[in-house]
Amino acid sequence: MKMKPLKIGNLIAEIPVVQGGMGVGISLSGLAGAVASCKGVGIISTAQIGYREPDWDANPVEANLRAIGTEIARAKEIAGGKGMIGANIMVATRDYEKYVEAAIRAGADLIISGAGLPVDLPRMAKGSGTKLLPIVSSLKSVQVICRYWEKKYGYYPDGIVIEGPLAGGHLGFSPEQLEDVEGLDYD
């Protein structure tokens, strides 16, 4: 059985696999570029992305901004024009707007953004062509984002990432959810 490609606006990933953006050195250019080279969607996490930069201790924001550009460029080189390269940028990040602007300047095909509601993301990305995909955990958050973006920017998300309690990572599980995985309520 052949899988249908993933289409996000004018972008196409022939293999509909989106690699998660895992922070602090896990989802960098090597992983994201490899996934995209296989015609999927590779995601680079901007969370503490500059930790290997020589000036990290003295200038972490500048180190992170520089590393965003470096990692996206490397990932695109590894991908060889295949798939998509995106950035996962948490709204809760200090200097969020600077990180978004750096990812767009570096040529990110898309930005996935959660850990808060990315209500002003369309303003930051205006005219760039970068696709915008908010991360949500409920129908209410999707509705809030869609209504706000449409009213304020005349823009709708290019896609939605739905992250429920089974996503793991920093979301975690309640003891009750661990006992009754089949009975999870995603409303």
Side-chain angles (χ1 to χ4, degrees):
M1 181 175 111
K2 183 169 166 71
M3 293 185 280
K4 291 182 179 180
L6 173 64
K7 297 179 182 180
I8 303 174
N10 62 335
L11 302 175
I12 297 173
E14 291 181 37
I15 306 298
V17 171
V18 180
Q19 165 250 312
M22 301 163 280
V24 195
I26 298 172
S27 294
L28 294 175
S29 57
L31 178 58
V35 170
S37 75
C38 293
K39 303 178 183 174
V41 182
I43 303 297
I44 294 171
S45 171
T46 63
Q48 307 297 25
I49 191 170
Y51 76 98
R52 297 181 296 184
E53 295 289 312
D55 61 339
W56 166 253
D57 290 330
N59 301 302
V61 173
E62 292 305 315
N64 284 336
L65 293 172
R66 202 170 42 255
I68 289 169
T70 301
E71 294 295 330
I72 290 174
R74 282 186 193 147
K76 286 188 164 270
E77 183 178 318
I78 292 166
K82 300 174 186 170
M84 298 178 215
I85 297 294
N88 181 341
I89 308 172
M90 296 184 295
V91 176
T93 302
R94 185 175 291 158
D95 297 303
Y96 171 71
E97 189 165 346
K98 289 180 183 179
Y99 287 30
V100 169
E101 291 168 355
I104 291 168
R105 267 194 317 275
D109 295 314
L110 56 96
I111 292 175
I112 295 175
S113 192
L117 294 178
V119 293
D120 292 321
L121 192 54
R123 174 185 55 77
M124 296 173 212
K126 187 175 182 175
S128 69
T130 300
K131 306 302 180 212
L132 308 178
L133 292 84
I135 299 173
V136 299
S137 59
S138 70
L139 176 60
K140 183 175 183 171
S141 56
V142 172
Q143 291 170 331
V144 167
I145 290 169
C146 288
R147 286 181 188 138
Y148 189 84
W149 283 16
E150 195 279 325
K151 182 178 179 181
K152 188 154 185 176
Y153 303 109
Y155 194 92
Y156 285 99
D158 297 293
I160 302 285
V161 176
I162 301 169
E163 194 170 61
L166 292 179
H170 56 85
L171 297 177
F173 296 91
S174 73
E176 296 79 22
Q177 290 168 328
L178 289 172
E179 292 169 10
D180 183 22
V181 177
E182 286 82 30
L184 287 174
D185 181 10
Y186 288 97
D187 291 335

